[in-house]
Amino acid sequence: MARVDADPLSAEPSPAEPTAPADDPTAAVAAADLVVPPALVAQTLPEYARAWGARVRNGDAGVLPVVVGMVLIAVVFEAISPSHVFLSANNIVNLFQQSAVFMVLAMAQCFPLLLGEIDLSVGYVGPLAGIVTVQLVEPATTNWPWWAAIVVGLAVVGVWGFLQGTLITRLRIPSFIVTLAGFLIANGVCLIVLSFGPFSGYPPLAGTSSNVAVINHLMYGTIDPTISWIAMVVVVALLAVVLWLRDARRRASGLVAPPRGLTILKIVFIAIVGVVVVAICGINRAHFGTIEGVPWVIPIVLGVLGVWMILLERTRFGRYVYAIGGNAEAARRAGVGLAGVRTWCFVLCSMTAGLAGMLFFSYLGGASNNINGGQLTLYAVAAAVIGGTSLFGGRGRVLHGVLGGLVIGGIYNGMFLLGLAVEWEYIVTGLVLIVAVAIDSLSRRVR
Amino acid sequence: MSTAPQGAPATAPQGGPTLLTARGIDKHFGAVQALYKVDLDLPAGAVTCLCGDNGAGKSVMTRCISGIHAPDHGEICWMGEPVSIRTPRDASHLGIETVFQDLALADNLDIVQNMFLGREIVRRGFLDEDSMERAASKTLAELRVTSVRSIRQPVASLSGGQRQSVAVAKAVMWNSKLVILDEPTAALGVVQTRQVLDLVLRMRDNGLAVMVISHNLNDVFEVADRIAVLQLGRMVVQGPASDFDRQSLVDYMTTGTSSRRPAGSSDPDGAVS
């Protein structure tokens, strides 16, 4: 800050003064011809709403298309699914579990996509981490503690991502090619690692071992409803306090800040989502006995979302990711170490995909060679793009990946409920992807 | 053909003490000699316009000063001390900031984020957006860039003149002493050109050394205190702007000499008006 305060311009402001009347008309003319996003000068909630409408018309739709898509999917499938089970508590929780892998993979894909790159390897690099972890916790062989197995699984794919990132940034090989090769190699490595031990290539997640149980619970474990409620209230209250204090401080010091009403609206929205989710999960969804409470996978996905949002939007690293995606040359001239930031993005992508791989095998109840890695990769890209992340770099948020993953999960789930064969799931998902990319390109053209 | 200026003046004919003195700068790229023994003086509190036809070496000279190219031979002195400027970081440390023709702004980031790109204020590991926003708006206010209504708008939504203003503000914010502008008005309309030229004059009035590279003679005569002309990699003349008129400047830029100007006055020392 000292450097800014020592600005030479503040030292002698007087010599500039006499020219003031001369350039005022110029400034007025210039002000007339510029386009200010109205959201930034809006002071009240109605103004803000109008400004938001203007922004959407100008092609900056943000999460709007994906939210509309989600509502559409919910309404259509609820209307046509047999005995309207789509929005039943049982199915909603199920849908979230089915979508979780896509959501986490899409968040992983956000890192390369924000740079304007792509990582095609996630479809097998992710499962590779899962396979390593499942193998390590097997009581019949290594019997590692669950946490060590997870750490090693993530570390393995972290190194994998580092190697891919290094080839891309230091040797300047296009990410498309490097990660395509990585996809094939990881497929082979997955099969090799699967063949270890006495499991005939199918290390299971069954049995009484507590370490196996933890991995199995990543997807299916539930949190006691009472604890769920308490935890939800604490998290929502914390978010509310942080949001409110930040906006209030900015308003008080005259910085660009949303109107008070919008802050309240955001907090209310978060609280409603929290209550609805915990309430739905609190309903007993078992046909016999009791299955109730928030599944582990929900806090896991939200935790990843929160950490990556903070990293990308509140830290220097995240700022550089966006800057490189927007204008790599500008970032380079500003002294940003492009190679380092890019390599780290591929590491974080692989590690996030690795978590998705663990959730995947937790969902399947054990590791197997029944991995459709191509589909996982394509759904990861599709989910990120459907959510509103640009393929051209610099625009998008991890939140978009989560919403896009929910859309893909919704299609998958709804098609299944309708008893439609898998070919229709592919066709509909493909069409949704085309629509999403078309929205992205159209919005770029409007700009 | 070349009438290189002689001697190293302790103070430049216009403005304050000489901030940057370049002597005998040579630069070649492969077989192409881009600069031959170029001398250049940049005094504080003055606008120096570097003129020349396409391929005269203006951009190469700029890059030698801003740390993008290292000169093959020659010496650059900064406030009287010989310095070596190897990287853009070295230049920034001395207080030299360059606004390149392409402005180097990231369209997807907002004004504050662009102004602090690469030099973000970080507090406890997180970006200190409030401090950055305050500092950015202070700088913009001092430059009286008033047409920008919100400094949180993405640069993509700005007009050409506003983008140029943001790039200039980014350059002056860091306690800089010399600001180099490469073709600042090339892509601008009349009103926006006016905005940028006013900005240049305001920086000069605030005591900065400003070097402007321009093809546009209107702009040159509007803001220049001093004019330096490169032709085919040689510095053919430099001196107070009042020594030149349009015709002589065009002559120097195209042929390296002008019959409209007495030969003796091409020495900048003797050319004080």
Side-chain angles (χ1 to χ4, degrees), chain A residues 328-347:
Chain A
E329 177 58 20
R332 192 184 67 78
R333 287 200 210 140
V336 175
L338 298 194
V341 173
R342 281 191 173 131
T343 306
W344 267 107
C345 279
F346 282 96
V347 172

Side-chain angles (χ1 to χ4, degrees), chain A residues 38-412:
Chain A
L40 293 165
V41 286
Q43 295 303 317
T44 65
L45 204 51
E47 269 177 42
Y48 210 88
R50 270 197 300 279
W52 183 73
R55 213 167 64 212
V56 170
R57 280 193 298 280
N58 279 326
D60 184 8
V63 295
L64 184 67
V66 69
V67 169
V68 169
M70 277 164 57
V71 171
L72 238 132
I73 286 170
V75 169
V76 169
F77 282 128
E78 175 66 6
I80 64 176
S81 60
S83 56
H84 308 291
V85 292
F86 189 79
L87 290 181
S88 66
N90 194 345
N91 192 54
I92 287 179
V93 176
N94 186 23
L95 189 158
F96 200 90
Q97 288 170 328
Q98 287 168 339
S99 312
V101 173
F102 303 135
M103 291 187 213
V104 178
L105 279 177
M107 286 195 271
Q109 198 63 255
C110 274
F111 285 97
L113 286 183
L114 281 175
L115 293 174
E117 310 270 354
I118 198 162
D119 188 340
L120 296 177
S121 71
V122 293
Y124 281 112
V125 169
L128 176 60
I131 291 170
V132 168
T133 302
V134 171
Q135 284 282 26
L136 287 175
V137 293
E138 288 299 341
T141 53
T142 39
N143 196 20
W144 279 31
W146 60 271
W147 53 268
I150 289 178
V151 167
V152 169
L154 292 179
V156 166
V157 293
V159 171
W160 192 288
F162 177 79
L163 293 175
Q164 291 187 155
T166 303
L167 289 172
I168 291 161
T169 56
R170 311 279 171 183
L171 294 188
R172 311 263 169 97
I173 310 175
S175 55
F176 188 91
I177 301 298
V178 170
T179 57
L180 184 59
F183 174 86
L184 294 169
I185 298 168
N187 189 359
V189 175
C190 279
L191 295 176
I192 293 172
V193 178
L194 274 173
S195 68
F196 295 156
F199 311 108
S200 322
Y202 293 87
L205 283 176
T208 52
S209 156
S210 61
N211 292 319
V212 167
V214 169
I215 305 299
N216 197 35
H217 273 58
L218 288 180
M219 189 59 86
Y220 292 112
T222 54
I223 301 165
D224 178 78
T226 319
I227 297 176
S228 303
W229 280 108
I230 295 170
M232 188 275 292
V233 169
V234 169
V235 169
V236 169
L238 267 176
L239 278 175
V241 169
V242 168
L243 261 177
W244 180 261
L245 285 184
R246 191 190 69 195
D247 287 354
R249 195 183 63 231
R250 291 180 63 84
R251 273 192 291 272
S253 46
L255 301 172
V256 176
R260 185 163 296 144
L262 189 75
T263 313
I264 294 172
L265 214 64
K266 275 185 198 164
I267 292 171
V268 169
F269 181 76
I270 292 171
I272 289 175
V273 170
V275 169
V276 167
V277 167
V278 176
I280 288 176
C281 295
I283 298 170
N284 183 7
R285 23 181 210 277
H287 295 293
F288 307 102
T290 323
I291 301 176
E292 58 183 16
V294 177
W296 284 21
V297 65
I298 290 182
I300 290 174
V301 169
L302 293 182
V304 174
L305 173 67
V307 171
W308 285 167
M309 270 175 83
I310 290 171
L311 180 74
L312 283 171
E313 289 163 33
R314 297 271 171 263
T315 70
R316 186 178 276 201
F317 173 82
R319 179 63 40 83
Y320 291 168
V321 172
Y322 280 94
I324 292 172
N327 187 343
E329 177 58 20
R332 192 184 67 78
R333 287 200 210 140
V336 175
L338 298 194
V341 173
R342 281 191 173 131
T343 306
W344 267 107
C345 279
F346 282 96
V347 172
L348 294 177
C349 172
S350 290
M351 291 179 74
T352 312
L355 182 67
M358 291 169 197
L359 293 175
F360 182 62
F361 291 122
S362 176
Y363 182 72
L364 296 182
S368 81
N369 58 15
N370 184 21
I371 314 160
N372 193 342
Q375 190 192 357
L376 289 179
T377 290
L378 296 181
Y379 274 16
V381 179
V385 173
I386 288 171
T389 302
S390 173
L391 277 172
F392 308 100
R395 282 201 297 138
R397 303 175 68 189
V398 278
L399 178 64
H400 295 165
V402 169
L403 297 178
L406 211 49
V407 166
I408 287 190
I411 295 170
Y412 173 80

